[in-house]
């Protein structure tokens, strides 16, 4: 079965890793958020694309969820000595990726081509596709008086997501087009999963690209979301804060409703057994529900969630 997965960084990569073990890498395409992309020290950094690639390559630092395992940060120490911003920790090995990406983009290669070169070089057979080759940047609006516009990484990493969210902009998304590779992956897919990533900050920028949203709306393939919320709490990071801003209930039901309206119909939702009480309410929306333990800590959890998702979609 050919599967397309719409994914952010850490949550998306864990689910993709499990899927790769269960169905094999060749049948998978990952359509990855690039709203988090940032330029720092003159380098083009694409965190979610790298997280997905490193995870599938078995090279990621599984404690942090990003960067290469065992990386060192000597270059950052030198940059800090020169008074350069050092809040976004780029490992010495990781810098190799950013140097390569920056140089290749300057030579005129598309982000999709560069991501493809990187994943192939690292031995990944899943097609890792940036959501678009056009620039899209997620900005978080904060501030009690005058509104400040923060880049997503400034909000999340530099300031630790402490600010109250006043607004979110997916800058450039309205003018962005999906790449031919993304369109092909979506059209060929026999099943589409929305990974357990932040619905507003990670999946939101992808669905904000009109050509992707339209393609998903028209898709004949079943679309199944894996809930990023368990027992009223987000699986990772400040997802609840983002859902709160979007006036979405921090529950599988809230996320189901959000996706259902964004896609003009969601086919299925995989939720945690802890949320069994919500199943009937979600099914009232016409969305089929499957329950499983969906918290992914170790490799066996990731495989179990992936197995449940595949079985569910096969039965839809
Ligand atoms: N996240 C952090 O919390 N702190 C960092 O210093 C940091 C550095 C970093 C470097 C490369 C990379 O690919 C990812 C990195 N991340 C870091 C993760 C990233 O900011 C977010 O987790 C994602 O953008 C959200 O999906």
């Amino acid at each position: 079965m050919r599967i397309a997965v719409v994914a952010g960084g850490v949550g998306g990569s864990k689910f993709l890793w499990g899927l790769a073990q269960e169905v094999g890498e060749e049948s998978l395409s990952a359509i990855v958020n690039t709203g988090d992309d940032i330029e720092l020290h003159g380098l083009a950094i694409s965190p979610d694309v790298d997280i997905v690639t490193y995870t599938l390559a078995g090279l990621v630092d599984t404690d942090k969820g990003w960067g290469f395992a065992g990386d060192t940060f000597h270059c950052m120490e030198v940059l800090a000595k020169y008074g350069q911003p050092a809040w976004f920790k780029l490992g010495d090995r990781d810098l190799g990726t950013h140097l390569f990406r920056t140089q290749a983009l300057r030579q005129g290669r598309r982000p999709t081509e560069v991501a493809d070169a990187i994943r192939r070089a690292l031995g990944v057979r899943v097609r890792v596709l940036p959501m678009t080759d056009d620039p899209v940047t997620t900005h978080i609006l904060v501030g009690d008086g005058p509104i400040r516009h923060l880049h997503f990484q400034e909000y999340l990493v530099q300031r630790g997501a402490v600010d109250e969210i006043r607004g979110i902009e997916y800058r450039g998304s309205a003018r962005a087009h999906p790449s031919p590779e993304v369109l092909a992956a979506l059209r060929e897919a026999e099943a589409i999963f929305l990974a357990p990533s932040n619905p507003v900050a990670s999946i939101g920028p992808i669905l904000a690209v009109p050509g992707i949203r339209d393609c998903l709306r028209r898709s004949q393939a079943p679309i199944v979301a894996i809930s990023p919320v368990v027992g009223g709490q987000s699986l990772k990071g400040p997802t609840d804060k983002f859902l709160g801003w979007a006036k979405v209930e921090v529950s599988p039901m809230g996320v189901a409703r959000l996706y259902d309206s964004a896609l003009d119909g969601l086919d299925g939702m995989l939720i945690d057994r802890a949320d069994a009480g919500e199943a009937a309410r979600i099914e009232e929306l016409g969305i089929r529900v499957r329950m499983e333990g969906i918290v992914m800590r170790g490799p066996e959890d990731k495989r179990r969630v992936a197995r449940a998702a595949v079985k569910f979609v096969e039965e839809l």
Side-chain angles (χ1 to χ4, degrees):
M1 194 193 326
R2 275 168 298 187
I3 297 175
V5 182
V6 176
V10 180
S13 66
K14 287 183 182 177
F15 178 62
L16 274 158
W17 185 89
L19 272 180
Q21 313 313 306
E22 290 301 315
V23 301
E25 293 190 44
E26 307 285 355
S27 52
L28 294 177
S29 296
I31 296 161
V32 184
N33 172 39
T34 56
D36 297 8
D37 289 13
I38 188 165
E39 190 180 309
L40 288 167
H41 316 292
L43 299 174
I45 299 151
S46 195
D48 286 1
V49 170
D50 290 345
I51 289 168
V52 165
T53 306
Y54 296 176
T55 302
L56 290 168
L59 297 171
V60 80
D61 179 327
T62 46
D63 292 334
K64 294 204 296 272
W66 49 268
F68 284 116
D71 212 347
T72 50
F73 293 86
H74 302 301
C75 183
M76 280 324 286
E77 288 161 21
V78 178
L79 282 168
K81 278 202 173 62
Y82 298 148
Q84 297 305 301
W87 54 269
F88 200 75
K89 302 271 178 286
L90 300 169
D92 297 325
R93 291 180 189 148
D94 193 23
L95 278 161
T97 301
H98 312 313
L99 287 167
F100 171 72
R101 172 178 290 115
T102 305
Q103 194 178 18
L105 292 174
R106 277 201 198 128
Q107 287 165 350
R109 293 168 78 183
R110 295 183 294 127
T112 301
E113 294 168 332
V114 183
D116 199 59
I118 293 170
R119 67 97 178 165
R120 282 175 193 274
L122 297 181
V124 172
R125 281 170 292 127
V126 175
R127 280 169 292 175
V128 179
L129 306 172
M131 67 190 196
T132 174
D133 286 324
D134 299 321
V136 175
T137 314
T138 303
H139 278 82
I140 312 299
L141 279 52
V142 302
D144 290 323
I147 294 291
R148 289 182 59 200
H149 293 233
L150 301 177
H151 185 286
F152 177 77
Q153 301 294 357
E154 289 174 325
Y155 172 81
L156 181 76
V157 177
Q158 188 178 24
R159 299 171 65 85
V162 292
D163 304 270
E164 207 55 53
I165 301 174
R166 306 285 176 213
I168 298 179
E169 291 176 359
Y170 309 123
R171 275 191 207 162
S173 63
R175 292 182 305 277
H177 300 279
S179 65
E181 290 86 348
V182 163
L183 287 177
L186 287 175
R187 287 187 186 135
E188 286 163 15
E190 293 155 285
I192 299 170
F193 289 120
L194 304 182
S197 303
N198 184 326
V200 179
S202 300
I203 305 294
I206 308 177
L207 302 185
V209 176
I212 299 185
R213 196 174 53 233
D214 293 346
C215 198
L216 287 168
R217 284 181 174 173
R218 282 197 302 265
S219 175
Q220 297 297 308
I223 305 182
V224 168
I226 292 77
S227 176
V229 175
V230 172
Q233 282 187 323
S234 58
L235 285 174
K236 199 206 146 271
T239 296
D240 32 12
K241 223 167 162 172
F242 282 87
L243 290 174
W245 169 79
K247 302 216 171 2
V248 173
E249 187 182 296
V250 184
S251 70
M253 173 67 182
V255 176
R257 222 191 261 132
L258 177 73
Y259 288 152
D260 194 47
S261 74
L263 301 175
D264 280 345
L266 177 71
D267 298 293
M269 183 99 181
L270 183 66
I271 69 172
D272 196 85
R273 292 186 198 287
D275 293 311
E278 300 215 8
R281 276 209 303 158
I282 299 173
E283 291 205 319
E284 274 169 28
L285 296 174
I287 302 168
R288 300 272 300 279
V289 173
R290 180 65 54 89
M291 278 175 284
E292 182 55 68
I294 61 166
V295 180
M296 293 183 283
R297 292 196 184 88
E300 198 34 59
D301 295 334
K302 296 169 198 163
R303 294 189 71 147
R304 188 192 56 246
V305 175
R307 213 157 40 230
V310 170
K311 191 156 181 287
F312 182 26
V313 86
E314 278 171 351
E315 290 167 13
L316 277 176

